[in-house]
Amino acid sequence: MTVDGIRRMKGGAPIAALTAYDYSMAKMLDACGVPLLLVGDSLGMVTLGLPDTTGVTMEDMIHHTRAAARAKPRALLAADLPAESYSTTDLAVSNAQRLLEAGAEAVKAEGGIVICEQVRAIVAQGIPFLGHLGMLPQRVKEEGGYKIKGRQADEAAALRDDANALVDAGAFAVVLELVEPKIAAELTAALPIPTIGIGSGPDCDGQILVTTDLWATSPDYIPRHVQPHEQVKSEMQTTVQNWMDDMKR
Ligand code: KIV
């Protein structure tokens, strides 16, 4: 899958996107034909035991991106720029390059107008950029939790401005996290690039999930917008239990 391929999926078959944090996850999801895989900084909570994504480092992202990239997925492999890694244009470009050297084919960062200079600089280096608007997990402390965005008129207006700014800056698609579904649908209809929703209703061009939420294996918390497949977790636990029981015979 290429960036253009993802772009061309706008308005067509829904774009399925999932997080992959290592070689085996990337292999398994790729075998299912998922067109877009993200080495998300959600790996901080899911694999590193951190309380949120704010403590994830570039070294963490490079380590996991390398592992996922070794699967050589047919899917487009994007990786998150972690918090503080794109606070200036120079930092954003050099860290985006490091993720590409680790095997990512595109990078994602959170924010709209405030990071547009960084986005332009990244895109100017030929690095495909995936936007992320709505609830911004890297700002969870400032925002006081994981709250829906776009319910108030001023928030909806800010989302429109941010989305248009990302398009102008050259983003090839944009993740909409916890955006009021009506606004997500409006943005999807208005923007020339695909929208990929997470907890933003059914009307985006695609949907992304933290894979371990789908599998019900996320250790501490599964958000309300996911219908976790509990049987995956229980089958894994039963397999371990049976193996332990077999040992006793
Ligand atoms: O870090 C992450 O996993 C994300 C999501 C959009 C799922 O950014």
Side-chain angles (χ1 to χ4, degrees):
M1 180 54 73
T2 61
V3 165
D4 272 349
I6 295 289
R7 234 191 244 123
R8 279 198 299 270
M9 287 175 83
K10 176 151 187 95
I15 303 165
L18 285 169
T19 59
Y21 307 126
D22 60 28
Y23 176 75
S24 65
M25 275 180 99
K27 269 238 154 181
M28 188 193 296
L29 301 175
D30 199 47
C32 300
V34 178
L36 175 60
L37 294 178
L38 172 71
V39 186
D41 59 358
S42 51
L43 65 83
M45 286 103 94
V46 175
T47 71
L48 303 178
L50 297 171
D52 53 49
T53 61
T54 61
V56 176
T57 65
M58 267 308 291
E59 281 60 42
D60 296 330
M61 291 309 302
I62 287 170
H63 178 76
H64 286 268
T65 300
R66 278 201 188 116
R70 283 188 195 110
K72 297 192 181 4
R74 288 167 307 162
L76 185 74
L77 185 67
D80 267 334
L81 282 161
E84 316 292 339
S85 73
Y86 51 99
S87 45
T88 67
T89 304
D90 286 350
L91 209 51
V93 170
S94 73
N95 283 326
Q97 269 158 349
R98 291 171 76 197
L99 289 177
L100 252 66
E101 281 157 21
E105 297 166 299
V107 300
K108 174 165 85 57
E110 298 179 6
I113 291 171
V114 291
I115 63 159
C116 267
E117 223 181 287
Q118 287 92 318
V119 178
R120 278 183 208 287
I122 288 169
V123 173
Q125 293 304 309
I127 301 173
F129 183 84
L130 175 60
H132 186 146
L133 294 175
M135 197 280 143
L136 306 180
Q138 293 173 4
R139 296 187 52 82
V140 65
K141 289 176 183 154
E142 293 89 327
E143 296 193 359
Y146 298 89
K147 297 179 190 154
I148 306 275
K149 288 296 180 77
R151 281 191 175 144
Q152 316 301 328
D154 58 339
E155 270 183 7
L159 279 168
R160 286 182 201 106
D161 292 346
D162 282 334
N164 286 321
L166 285 179
V167 171
D168 286 348
F172 72 88
V174 59
V175 169
L176 300 178
E177 177 156 359
L178 297 183
V179 170
E180 169 65 29
K182 257 180 34 198
I183 304 300
E186 180 201 308
L187 291 174
T188 301
L191 296 178
I193 58 171
T195 59
I196 302 175
I198 174 162
S200 300
D203 296 322
C204 296
D205 295 301
Q207 300 287 333
I208 186 164
L209 283 183
V210 167
T211 304
T212 52
D213 289 346
L214 183 63
W215 289 343
T217 58
S218 289
D220 298 321
Y221 164 78
I222 296 186
R224 245 177 301 161
H225 59 261
V226 185
Q227 276 106 49
H229 290 248
E230 298 289 344
Q231 73 274 17
V232 177
K233 182 179 183 174
S234 81
E235 273 187 33
M236 286 166 105
Q237 288 174 324
T238 305
T239 304
V240 173
Q241 204 58 60
N242 289 346
W243 177 74
M244 287 168 72
D245 290 347
D246 280 352
M247 243 192 282
K248 290 181 200 147
R249 282 188 201 125

